[in-house]
Amino acid sequence: MSESLRILYVTSEIKPFLNKLGVGEYVRPLPEAMQNKDIEIRVIVPRWGVINERKNRLHEVVRLSGINITVGEEDKPLTIKVASIPQAKMQVYFIDNEDYFHRKKLYADKAENLFEDNDERAIFFCKGVAETVKKLGWAPDIVHCNDWFTGLLPLYLRTTYQNEPLFKESKIVSTVYDNLFEQNFDAATLADKVALDDITEDMLADLVANPTPQGFMEMGVKYSDCVVNAQESGKVNDIVADSSENVSTIVGEKEAVCDGYYEIYKNLLGDRMAELVEEKTA
């Protein structure tokens, strides 16, 4: 029997831990459905401060923690926590850092003032995901990114980590959501914060020209093999259509959504997926 296929889900939210902007509910059935098809999955999300650690039984994974992530001129410690979704027999990994994620609101304070470092929080998260998967020693066949907050991960996987054996064969899917908010990040420092090896100024030119959550989303779209729109209407439609040729829209009941993604994964993986399906039905 061939080795199981592997899908890494990277998302800003997942139920039951968080569903503030609808992403968590949309993503929730996908890893479980793929797991039920004998596909090996991992899920990585930010450890937002609104997530109750005690209630959700989060605990630190010491062997994965303890590295620093560089954001601009600062090194920030990365802590990895884990919790289970018992009814799905599924583990979820949480990227944590005290400076970035120990707040009782997501992107803005109680007075609705947006956090100035929302860009740094997304950068830290995306860099942290790549390093965490390296520490896991787990090679994903598909990396499925969800929401603008994951937008830089495809760029990192296609540049800095492109020759990393774990990611060398990975296909990237990005799902976009019509939940963008208006915020202009500091364009003068953004490129330095994003920077990693093998990333040139030209690669970041569009992001520096549009230093917003939309700009982050567009970066994810640009470096993905396939893009999925999670809404049939909304302002992201035109953005996505202009940025990528390989765009689908997947909406509807949970089963239809899961089936739609399964077809996308099959198309991206070709023979490997076909072999697995054949083995499981033999």
Side-chain angles (χ1 to χ4, degrees):
M1 179 179 283
S2 63
E3 190 178 299
S4 292
L5 291 173
R6 295 173 167 183
I7 300 177
L8 171 67
Y9 289 92
V10 186
T11 177
S12 58
E13 306 178 347
I14 190 167
K15 287 181 71 174
F17 305 106
L18 190 65
N19 183 44
K20 291 282 187 183
L21 300 173
V23 179
E25 185 167 9
Y26 184 90
V27 173
R28 170 65 180 83
L30 283 173
E32 185 175 2
M34 300 309 140
Q35 192 169 255
N36 290 340
K37 294 180 183 291
D38 294 314
I39 295 172
E40 205 175 315
I41 62 101
R42 295 285 187 275
V43 182
I44 303 182
V45 299
R47 208 297 279 174
W48 302 108
V50 294
I51 297 172
N52 186 314
E53 287 205 2
R54 182 176 295 179
K55 177 185 173 184
N56 291 292
R57 299 182 178 179
L58 270 69
H59 60 273
E60 184 177 349
V61 186
V62 177
R63 69 182 178 88
L64 297 178
S65 301
I67 63 172
N68 286 340
I69 301 295
T70 302
V71 180
E73 296 181 357
E74 293 194 54
D75 282 347
K76 300 281 189 177
L78 170 67
T79 301
I80 304 300
K81 295 175 180 174
V82 69
S84 296
I85 303 177
Q87 61 268 38
K89 295 180 181 176
M90 197 165 73
Q91 282 193 325
V92 175
Y93 292 91
F94 295 82
I95 298 281
D96 198 6
N97 171 269
E98 188 171 346
D99 291 342
Y100 288 141
F101 295 115
H102 288 204
R103 307 171 192 181
K104 294 304 179 186
K105 294 284 184 178
L106 240 59
Y107 299 116
D109 61 21
K110 287 182 179 178
E112 299 302 319
N113 298 309
L114 290 162
F115 296 128
E116 289 185 4
D117 62 353
N118 280 330
D119 57 339
E120 292 184 20
R121 298 164 87 203
I123 292 163
F124 178 88
F125 177 68
C126 292
K127 290 180 177 179
V129 169
E131 287 300 318
T132 299
V133 176
K134 272 184 68 176
K135 274 213 164 187
L136 281 168
W138 189 81
D141 298 287
I142 298 274
V143 178
H144 185 169
C145 300
N146 290 268
D147 204 7
W148 76 270
F149 205 75
T150 70
L152 292 182
L153 184 57
L155 167 69
Y156 292 143
L157 296 185
R158 291 291 181 251
T159 54
T160 308
Y161 295 90
Q162 65 183 335
N163 293 318
E164 182 69 41
L166 291 174
F167 297 114
K168 209 166 186 181
E169 303 297 327
S170 299
K171 300 293 185 182
I172 304 174
V173 177
S174 280
T175 298
V176 297
Y177 301 79
D178 193 14
N179 60 7
L180 298 174
F181 51 87
E182 299 293 329
Q183 181 173 16
N184 286 304
F185 304 124
D186 184 354
T189 61
L190 189 56
D192 286 338
K193 292 174 185 176
V194 172
L196 277 178
D197 292 344
D198 302 321
I199 296 177
T200 65
E201 284 186 19
D202 287 346
M203 291 175 182
L204 298 178
D206 289 343
L207 180 61
V208 172
N210 184 19
T212 64
Q214 178 184 318
F216 275 65
M217 185 193 76
E218 289 174 350
M219 291 295 285
V221 167
K222 182 177 180 180
Y223 287 93
S224 295
D225 296 293
C226 179
V227 181
V228 179
N229 192 347
Q231 281 95 15
E232 287 183 297
S233 60
K235 61 185 177 183
V236 299
N237 285 3
D238 292 337
I239 298 168
V240 173
D242 290 342
S243 303
S244 177
E245 295 177 0
N246 190 6
V247 181
S248 304
T249 298
I250 299 181
V251 296
E253 297 297 322
K254 292 178 183 178
E255 189 173 330
V257 169
C258 293
D259 288 346
Y261 279 102
Y262 187 61
E263 289 302 314
I264 283 176
Y265 302 151
K266 280 203 300 185
N267 289 337
L268 286 176
L269 296 179
D271 293 342
R272 282 211 59 202
M273 193 81 158
E275 286 172 15
L276 181 76
V277 172
E278 190 175 313
E279 284 182 1
K280 299 306 177 187
T281 56

